[in-house]
Amino acid sequence: KDPKHASKMGMDAGEKGVIKPLKGSAMGYCAETLKQHYCPRTKDSEFPVQRAVHSMGINSILVTPILVNGNKFAGVIVVAVTVEDGFKEHDRILISDIAAMLGANIYAKRMKLAAEKSNKVSREMLHAMIPSKVIDKIECFWDESSTEYRTRRSSFQYDYAENEESSETTLNDSIRWNSGKPQTRREEVRSKIDFLNGMNRQDSHCDDFGVIVDSSTAELNNTSRALYAENVDNVVILFTDIVGFSKIALDMKPIKVLDMLQDMFSRFDALCDKHNVQKLETIGDAYICTAGLVQKVDIKDAARRVLNLAKDMIRETRKVSIDRGGRKKSQDDPGPKNPQIRVG
């Protein structure tokens, strides 16, 4: 800035980040009307700032608003020249087009950020329902080259040999018709695993906006059976819930309840990672996790890790607040400030 010119604008020459009110300026006019403002002669301008720049040799100014989605003001393009009436109609149209392209670019970036946030929330919801390790276990169980598959297959071979007719019926029953093409039970399972992996991918660098999944290869219906059932020994299971959750929820707005649960469960998720314990699911205010189910571990070590996790959960819960949103409680029963949990 030139000190002489800066003083005329009411600013210090070395000052940075100067904030001026929009009201009473051409920029304020653009923000209010969403229209372009053209001053062909600054000496006759209705705005003091434009009259002040006349002494700097600037004689005409064009101020064009940058609009996002056509109706939201995001900023302006200011172009000034030394000659009077220096902008012809085609100049003003050209700069309006540039402002429109800038607005579209800002809108696209905002949409991309919103899509990335939506992707993150979708992945967190999916992980809460179907952890990736569980999907890996399902895939391994149906992989013909895996130990789990060979063990399961060998355990049923005798039954199949004893009853060929039953085996043939079972095989026929396992045929599925999808879009006119036969699909065996193994192919059906593989398509579902691919479908889950497609949803569960954590590639944050993809160019797709939103969660885009091709569900044409997966037959999803209300009569779908479970992929498998398995007995596992030496498993430690931890479950928690909030004491008096129903009463607490009645005193809070629904969004506040969700915020409280999200805060608490996010802390629990981090603790599960810290203690190498596998989260299974959440049901309402209940949180269930396990050690030794997906991966074989020493049962004593697993029990010790789960016990340490339970202690940390109790400590972390004290940091979660109950926000009643200004609703008053009686002095005799103000209600707890922090939730309390039961751990089993």
Side-chain angles (χ1 to χ4, degrees):
K1 297 173 187 176
D2 186 294
K4 179 178 64 176
H5 293 160
S7 62
K8 292 181 180 180
M9 299 292 293
M11 297 181 292
D12 182 78
E15 190 176 359
K16 295 182 179 180
V18 178
I19 299 176
K20 290 285 187 178
L22 290 179
K23 188 175 181 180
S25 67
M27 299 179 192
Y29 171 85
C30 293
E32 183 177 356
T33 65
L34 305 182
K35 296 180 180 180
Q36 189 180 65
H37 181 271
Y38 176 45
C39 178
R41 283 171 290 276
T42 54
K43 63 180 181 180
D44 301 326
S45 175
E46 62 181 301
F47 302 114
V49 173
Q50 292 186 347
R51 292 198 298 270
V53 299
H54 172 69
S55 60
M56 305 177 193
I58 297 175
N59 290 301
S60 57
I61 298 178
L62 178 64
V63 184
T64 305
I66 300 173
L67 304 180
V68 176
N69 201 22
N71 58 4
K72 295 181 180 179
F73 179 80
V76 294
I77 298 176
V78 180
V79 184
V81 295
T82 57
V83 298
E84 291 187 356
D85 198 11
F87 297 94
K88 306 302 179 183
E89 183 178 0
H90 60 84
D91 296 325
R92 299 196 291 269
I93 294 175
L94 175 62
I95 295 176
S96 294
D97 291 339
I98 295 173
M101 287 188 290
L102 286 174
N105 186 47
I106 294 173
Y107 181 72
K109 288 183 178 180
R110 290 181 180 178
M111 288 293 293
K112 185 175 181 180
L113 289 175
E116 290 173 353
K117 183 177 180 180
S118 176
N119 271 338
K120 182 179 179 181
V121 173
S122 299
R123 285 195 297 269
E124 289 176 352
M125 291 177 62
L126 181 64
H127 293 166
M129 293 183 291
I130 310 176
S132 57
K133 289 185 179 180
V134 174
I135 298 178
D136 293 340
K137 183 69 175 178
I138 295 173
E139 186 173 13
C140 180
F141 198 83
W142 285 90
D143 184 1
E144 295 183 6
S145 62
S146 68
T147 303
E148 286 87 348
Y149 179 86
R150 290 195 296 269
T151 301
R152 183 171 65 92
R153 187 71 176 175
S154 62
S155 66
F156 290 112
Q157 282 180 348
Y158 178 79
D159 293 337
Y160 290 154
E162 286 292 318
N163 193 344
E164 294 183 3
E165 182 179 355
S166 175
S167 177
E168 183 177 357
T169 303
T170 302
L171 179 62
N172 291 333
D173 290 343
S174 68
I175 299 297
R176 298 290 182 271
W177 291 87
N178 186 15
S179 301
K181 297 180 180 180
Q183 186 181 44
T184 65
R185 179 64 176 164
R186 187 179 297 109
E187 291 171 345
E188 181 183 354
V189 170
R190 167 53 55 188
S191 68
K192 291 182 178 181
I193 292 174
D194 292 341
F195 176 75
L196 293 175
N197 280 324
M199 290 184 65
N200 210 17
R201 68 181 185 273
Q202 298 192 29
D203 183 8
S204 60
H205 301 291
C206 63
D207 294 329
D208 296 334
F209 288 169
V211 179
I212 302 176
V213 180
D214 182 9
S215 60
S216 60
T217 59
E219 181 184 355
L220 303 178
N221 51 59
N222 295 330
T223 60
S224 296
R225 294 175 291 177
L227 295 181
Y228 72 95
E230 182 179 4
N231 293 325
V232 182
D233 297 325
N234 297 329
V235 176
V236 183
I237 298 176
L238 180 147
F239 48 91
T240 76
D241 68 343
I242 299 176
V243 177
F245 175 73
S246 299
K247 185 177 180 180
I248 293 173
L250 287 175
D251 295 331
M252 300 174 64
K253 295 180 180 179
I255 189 64
K256 298 296 183 181
V257 176
L258 292 177
D259 289 342
M260 180 187 69
L261 292 177
Q262 175 65 22
D263 184 16
M264 186 172 68
F265 289 162
S266 296
R267 295 173 185 270
F268 289 176
D269 291 345
L271 291 176
C272 284
D273 292 338
K274 174 183 175 182
H275 294 283
N276 193 23
V277 175
Q278 178 65 48
K279 172 185 177 181
L280 287 182
E281 63 178 342
T282 59
I283 306 174
D285 63 313
Y287 188 98
I288 305 174
C289 53
T290 180
L293 177 62
V294 178
Q295 295 177 340
K296 302 298 181 183
V297 295
D298 177 66
I299 189 62
K300 292 184 179 179
D301 176 67
R304 188 178 301 108
R305 286 189 282 110
V306 171
L307 180 59
N308 291 331
L309 169 64
K311 294 178 180 178
D312 285 347
M313 282 180 165
I314 294 174
R315 280 190 287 265
E316 283 296 314
T317 303
R318 295 170 184 160
K319 302 177 184 179
V320 179
S321 61
I322 298 177
D323 185 1
R324 292 184 169 82
R327 296 189 182 185
K328 296 182 179 180
K329 299 282 289 184
S330 64
Q331 295 181 355
D332 297 335
D333 182 22
K337 295 181 180 180
N338 308 98
Q340 295 178 326
I341 60 171
R342 288 182 289 257
V343 183

